[in-house]
Amino acid sequence: MAYDEGQLTLENFDKNIEDDVFKEVTSITLDEFRFLRDGGDYTENGMQKHFDGHLFDEVVFNDSLNEFRNKREQLANYFDDAQTEDIFDYIPPQKTNQIFTPKWVVRKMVDLLEKENPQIFEDPTKTFADLYMKSGLYITEIVRRLYNNAGMRRQIPDDRERIRHILRHQVYGFAPSRIIYLIATRCILGFDPSLRPEQSNFRQVDTIPWAKEIRMEELIEREFGE
């Protein structure tokens, strides 16, 4: 669903996605998925056989995609304080190590940050980074607090100008894989499709090797300069 722009169906589910990403998420290859969907010949114990495919119910499959897509759009506006859920509440635990931090934990983290630095969200020159993004929720909470801060509103009163300033000059992030990069950037920018181009401060880089070699400063300098 990270690749979905609104037209994803069972028929084109294998399009516009890299094989390694598909296998990471589903545990099967694209060719194996096509075989289950479309059928084909195979060999078993030296004998050639044929599988008709149609393992997936197309109506159920497409309805599930639409339901998830609608829920994602419904929950995309993280500026709505009345909204207690996020789309990650609807994603079951993965077999990989990619575990999404719950929203309530993220908010506690940012509460502590603000408690230790009371004026941190009213300064348009302050910068924030998530060096190992998973869901993107940490950055969304930072963006939300900067955008809503009274001091920021006084300094940048135009709403459109303020959100663009925040995305271009105040928040940064690294995602360890292609699928996580797409999930995180969609979460951060999904509340407004016109902001999708504002991705330059988010990069697909696995920072673990850099951290182990104590070279994070070098990586940040390489990717973002001063």
Side-chain angles (χ1 to χ4, degrees):
M1 292 301 290
Y3 288 80
D4 178 38
E5 297 299 334
Q7 295 85 34
L8 197 64
T9 64
L10 176 62
E11 183 179 2
N12 62 22
F13 198 72
D14 55 326
K15 301 294 191 296
N16 302 319
I17 183 171
E18 301 86 347
D19 193 34
D20 58 335
V21 174
F22 191 88
K23 187 171 184 180
E24 178 187 354
V25 175
T26 67
S27 300
I28 63 173
T29 66
L30 282 170
D31 284 341
E32 289 169 333
F33 169 78
R34 295 182 186 111
F35 179 75
L36 296 174
R37 182 190 62 189
D38 305 329
D41 296 330
Y42 67 101
T43 301
E44 183 178 58
N45 298 325
M47 297 181 61
Q48 187 172 21
K49 298 184 177 182
H50 181 78
F51 174 61
D52 289 335
H54 308 297
L55 182 68
F56 311 102
D57 185 307
E58 185 172 10
V59 173
V60 173
F61 194 98
N62 290 343
D63 283 349
S64 298
L65 292 177
N66 283 328
E67 185 174 347
F68 186 86
R69 184 184 298 121
N70 291 337
K71 180 61 69 172
R72 183 183 64 192
E73 292 174 1
Q74 176 188 335
L75 299 175
N77 182 15
Y78 52 84
F79 295 100
D80 182 0
D81 289 330
Q83 199 161 269
T84 58
E85 295 181 311
D86 60 71
I87 192 59
F88 301 101
D89 293 331
Y90 293 85
I91 300 177
Q94 305 297 297
K95 293 182 179 179
T96 67
N97 69 339
Q98 308 296 355
I99 299 173
F100 303 119
T101 306
K103 180 183 284 188
W104 69 268
V105 175
V106 170
R107 289 190 170 175
K108 270 200 167 185
M109 291 165 59
V110 181
D111 285 342
L112 288 171
L113 175 64
E114 189 169 18
K115 183 177 179 181
E116 294 177 3
N117 306 271
Q119 283 79 46
I120 196 168
F121 293 120
E122 65 182 48
D123 186 346
T125 68
K126 291 291 185 184
T127 55
F128 305 82
D130 186 341
L131 302 182
Y132 200 81
M133 294 193 298
K134 292 290 188 68
S135 62
L137 287 177
Y138 178 73
I139 293 295
T140 66
E141 185 62 19
I142 296 291
V143 171
R144 192 178 71 86
R145 299 203 188 192
L146 286 167
Y147 180 81
N148 289 328
N149 184 273
M152 285 285 289
R153 286 180 177 276
R154 285 194 300 271
Q155 295 173 82
I156 312 177
D158 183 85
D159 290 347
R160 198 72 179 168
E161 183 183 348
R162 188 165 67 259
I163 191 63
R164 288 193 181 279
H165 172 86
I166 292 166
L167 292 172
R168 291 175 179 178
H169 303 293
Q170 293 193 262
V171 289
Y172 301 81
F174 291 112
S177 67
R178 174 67 174 164
I179 189 67
I180 294 298
Y181 171 82
L182 292 172
I183 289 172
T185 52
R186 181 181 286 278
C187 178
I188 295 165
L189 304 170
F191 67 94
D192 184 346
S194 70
L195 293 173
R196 290 292 294 279
E198 304 292 343
Q199 297 184 22
S200 61
N201 288 351
F202 306 110
R203 306 291 169 82
Q204 181 190 327
V205 179
D206 186 350
T207 57
I208 288 180
W210 295 83
K212 286 181 177 179
E213 297 174 9
I214 317 178
R215 298 173 60 205
M216 282 301 300
E217 186 174 350
E218 178 186 338
L219 174 63
I220 293 169
E221 176 82 15
R222 186 192 78 180
E223 295 294 328
F224 302 119
E226 296 182 1

